[in-house]
Amino acid sequence: MLPWIFALAAAAGSPAPEGPPPRPRLVIAGGALFGPHAPGESTCQVRQGVQRCEHTGNFLGVGANLELRARIVGPLYFHGRAAVVGNVRQRPYGVHRGLVDVGGGLGVYSRLAFIRVEYMFVPTFGPNTYLPPFYDKQSGRDVWGRSAGMVSGGVRKYFTPRLAGELWGGLVIGPHSKRTTLQEDAGIDRILVTFLASVGISFDLIPGREPPPPRPAPTATPVAPAPAPAPTPESAPAVTAPAPAAPVEPVEPAPAEAAQPSPAGGPAIGPWQPAPQ
């Protein structure tokens, strides 16, 4: 339990991984090529109580291939490929000495894997005759067509930002094969269904363009108030004379109150005079 806790703590403290680099615009790839394979003619005989079998007229190719891939849009690429393979089954038991493969197609590529389809032009070279089983003359014949198709997929691993190792394999349909031989039941008119496989490397000739950095968000800038316009004779307010003040009417003084009686007992003045004794 403790190792898991330490691992999670280390992962939480590690910086976030950077995003994948942009897809390259032009890639060259190549490597060893295995295939195609075409079964031949086989027969078994028993002589003096010993069974012996012979298998002739077959083909198993081993060679090399070279590819050029150009990016069209997004993960979609066009590729052209040239290959030369030889037949490991030596003559006169094998048919053809080898073939040339010139193909082109479309594929979808990511940084770690890819899948694609292609058309292949596969002319053979060398005689198309062979020795039938237990026969001493080249009486067998296998004539191949020149067109085939392939659906393939593969994986790859980058060792440097531009160099990667690749492993891919594909199902090949074609070419057409017409075989004639001494035995009628061994003659066959067929469409070959075989394979191709490759182990090699790839190199990004023209790396992808880095995306432009994001633009910074616009910041609000304070706007200075507009200066007040200078006063002009036309814009100055009109000066008007003040209105005349209203006339003030004179106020008559109120009559003085009656005099209070003298506290000394003297004759009082006014209506409060005491009656005579």
Side-chain angles (χ1 to χ4, degrees), residues 11-183:
S14 61
E18 297 182 358
R23 293 181 176 90
R25 289 176 287 167
L26 188 64
V27 180
I28 187 170
L33 189 67
F34 305 94
H37 171 258
E41 180 182 352
S42 62
T43 303
C44 296
Q45 291 183 356
V46 178
R47 292 182 180 179
Q48 298 178 356
V50 178
Q51 184 179 15
R52 182 184 174 188
C53 298
E54 286 190 359
H55 186 195
T56 63
N58 53 342
F59 185 97
L60 179 59
V62 175
N65 75 114
L66 185 67
E67 293 185 20
L68 195 63
R69 305 167 188 163
R71 181 169 174 257
I72 300 176
V73 60
L76 185 64
Y77 282 75
F78 169 81
H79 73 273
R81 185 163 50 82
V84 177
V85 298
N87 188 3
V88 299
R89 180 64 164 164
Q90 298 296 321
R91 291 188 50 80
Y93 300 100
V95 64
H96 309 297
R97 292 190 181 277
L99 60 83
V100 176
D101 174 17
V102 179
L106 297 174
V108 177
Y109 292 75
S110 72
R111 189 164 178 82
L112 300 178
F114 57 89
I115 185 171
R116 58 192 182 179
V117 295
E118 68 179 87
Y119 165 79
M120 301 163 56
F121 178 67
V122 285
T124 59
F125 56 88
N128 56 14
T129 58
Y130 64 94
L131 285 177
F134 304 105
Y135 202 73
D136 57 355
K137 294 182 179 180
Q138 296 184 16
S139 301
R141 183 182 299 272
D142 196 358
V143 180
W144 288 13
R146 297 185 177 184
S147 295
M150 180 173 67
V151 179
S152 62
V155 295
R156 55 186 177 178
K157 170 67 175 178
Y158 272 88
F159 306 123
T160 69
R162 299 175 65 178
L163 181 66
E166 292 189 349
L167 172 65
W168 63 265
L171 175 67
V172 180
I173 300 177
H176 175 265
S177 168
K178 184 175 182 179
R179 186 171 64 197
T180 57
T181 185
L182 298 177
Q183 303 178 29

Side-chain angles (χ1 to χ4, degrees), residues 213-264:
R215 295 183 178 179
T219 57
T221 56
V223 179
T232 60
E234 291 79 5
S235 62
V239 179
T240 57
V248 179
E249 296 181 359
V251 180
E252 297 181 359
E257 295 182 354
Q260 296 295 333
S262 173

Side-chain angles (χ1 to χ4, degrees), residues 188-209:
I188 189 171
D189 194 354
R190 58 186 175 169
I191 298 293
L192 296 176
V193 179
T194 180
F195 70 93
L196 281 180
S198 176
V199 178
I201 59 175
S202 67
F203 182 76
D204 299 346
L205 289 177
I206 304 179
R209 294 194 181 114

